[in-house]
Amino acid sequence: MVVLERVTKQFSHNGNKTDVVSDIDLTIAEGEFVCLVGPSGCGKSTLIYLIAGLEKPSAGRILIDGTPITGPGRDRVVVFQESALFPWLTVQQNVEFGLKMAGAPKAEQTKKAGHYLRMVHLSRFSGAYPYQLSGGMKQRVAIARALAMDPKILLMDEPFAALDAQTRHLLHEELIEIWRETKKTILFVTHNVREATVLADRVFTMTARPGRLKKGYAIHLQRPRRESDPHLVVVQQRILLGLQEEIAKVVKDEGLDYLVKKTGPVAVGADGSGGAR
Amino acid sequence: MPSPLMIGRLVVTNMTDAAFLFAVASSLRRMMIGFTGVVIIGIGTGLLLGRFRFLDDVLGTLAIALHAMPGAAWVPLAIVLFGLNESAVIFTVLLGAAGIVMVNTSSGVKEVPPLVLRAAKTMGARGATLFWHVIVPAAIPRIVDGLRLAWAFGWRALMAGELMVGSIQGMGRLLNDVAKQRQMPQLLAFMVIIATISVAIDTLIFKRVEKMVKSKWGTA
């Protein structure tokens, strides 16, 4: 179980302190799949880094199964937006990396890496280097690399944002499959509302600057889900309506509000991105 | 002016002349010794500077100064230290080329992409393990860049050293000799060969390695 208690993160810029995320209370149950959606710059990634232990909260605390975290730990692994694979290692060696760092015997490294590469259907590419893979394949390797460490919690920071719709769709199915099989707790950050509703048990929206949790939506629909499922579309519309306000804020902050005046309210695409982009 | 054809013919004659090839081999041998030193000292110091902030504060400027000094400017000091001999030339090559490797290696170490570091840290890499398993390999493209430049700098320093030391067997001495005898065609033929050797080694070895590394590391 992951518990965030009044978590705030400030960054100071030339002496000016700004809250990036503010006052976040969130509890994620064991084995739950939670998505965070919000406009760009709302601190979604910061939240991931805080839970990963890569950043320290300015206030509040984060508990994993009741124990406050003090830094990065093998129980929480991040899958980043770009694959962040190590280019000098083969696919197999990349997946073995975490195990190697943990001092696992070579035979175990090989076995586990092989297992998780099969899970993401990339066994054939175990000897390839990252530069020889497509974007989707890289992300699958990154997922295998994270799973190989057998973390309790998988933190995913817009992992599929750079992929084309087709590949993303396939990876959604694959991720759900993996999640069912491994029963990991997943916190998945995205700006894509449709993606969030297809994947998550609960979707949380965030406000823009400072990032606060705005609202939670439970989705009790059976998986695999289709993006165009009428029930999901209703939820998507509700989420988007809530987000529109936040996106308008960003638009104003970024001096793009003249576009809004000229063209009326900003049209929000179903992927959560503002029309002004 | 001698015609290009004539120079071309001389180049071919030289390349089949045993005495000339011996001179080339002596120069290349010196270059290899010097360059080996550059690799060891340049990368070694560069890694230390990149790893330890306090060393970088103290010695970083020195590395940059070393890198800023033209190779030929080391020759007088080398002669004072070692005399008119081979060691002086090797010393010149070493100091003429080590700076760029130090500077590139240390900045390669310091400029590892944050994403790579974050990924490594979440997988439990720390301290020395993080350094050797992640930071050093991530810095390889920069190190290779440095080595390639060092080859070119070292080659210039080698020629400067050999020309000024003068008394030892090698291409520098050959240049001196034909210049004294005012043998323009032969002088030009030697110069063509010197440039060609440098370009050939750069193309056959350094460029290839650099290209391979760049495509693999995705820095191209």
Side-chain angles (χ1 to χ4, degrees), chain B residues 123-201:
Chain B
M123 287 187 288
R126 309 246 180 300
T129 321
L130 178 70
F131 185 72
W132 291 110
H133 283 91
V134 179
I135 294 175
V136 173
I140 284 177
R142 290 297 299 273
I143 297 175
V144 169
D145 265 357
L147 289 177
R148 186 178 167 202
L149 287 169
W151 172 263
F153 290 173
W155 191 249
R156 289 163 174 74
L158 174 78
M159 287 306 139
E162 287 193 352
L163 282 169
M164 285 196 244
V165 170
S167 56
I168 52 170
Q169 197 57 250
M171 282 183 279
R173 177 159 155 198
L174 287 181
L175 281 182
N176 267 339
D177 290 349
V178 292
K180 272 179 208 142
Q181 295 155 20
R182 298 282 183 274
Q183 293 182 35
M184 178 69 121
Q186 187 60 288
L187 179 62
L188 290 177
F190 286 159
M191 289 171 68
V192 168
I193 292 169
I194 288 169
T196 309
I197 293 174
S198 182
V199 171
I201 291 176

Side-chain angles (χ1 to χ4, degrees), chain A residues 49 54 72-73 76 78 80 82 84 86-88 97-98 100-101 129 131 145 149, chain B residues 115-116 118-126 129 133-134 137-138 215-218:
Chain A
Y49 291 164
L54 290 166
R76 293 154 277 140
V78 186
F80 297 91
E82 298 158 70
F86 300 140
W88 56 90
F97 186 85
K100 191 170 161 184
M101 290 299 109
Y129 284 92
Y131 78 99
R145 177 171 80 166
M149 297 182 60
Chain B
L115 189 63
V116 168
R118 284 193 200 116
K121 283 180 191 162
T122 58
M123 287 187 288
R126 309 246 180 300
T129 321
H133 283 91
V134 179
S215 70
K216 193 160 162 178
W217 265 251

Side-chain angles (χ1 to χ4, degrees), chain B residues 9-21:
Chain B
R9 245 190 249 124
L10 270 172
V11 168
V12 175
T13 327
N14 281 323
M15 292 311 281
T16 52
D17 177 46
F20 175 79
L21 290 178

Side-chain angles (χ1 to χ4, degrees), chain A residues 170-187:
Chain A
L170 289 173
L171 284 179
H172 287 162
E173 290 186 354
E174 208 164 292
L175 181 61
I176 288 299
E177 198 68 22
I178 288 168
W179 173 67
R180 279 182 165 163
E181 207 168 312
T182 60
K183 302 186 171 59
K184 303 288 178 205
T185 306
I186 299 182
L187 178 62

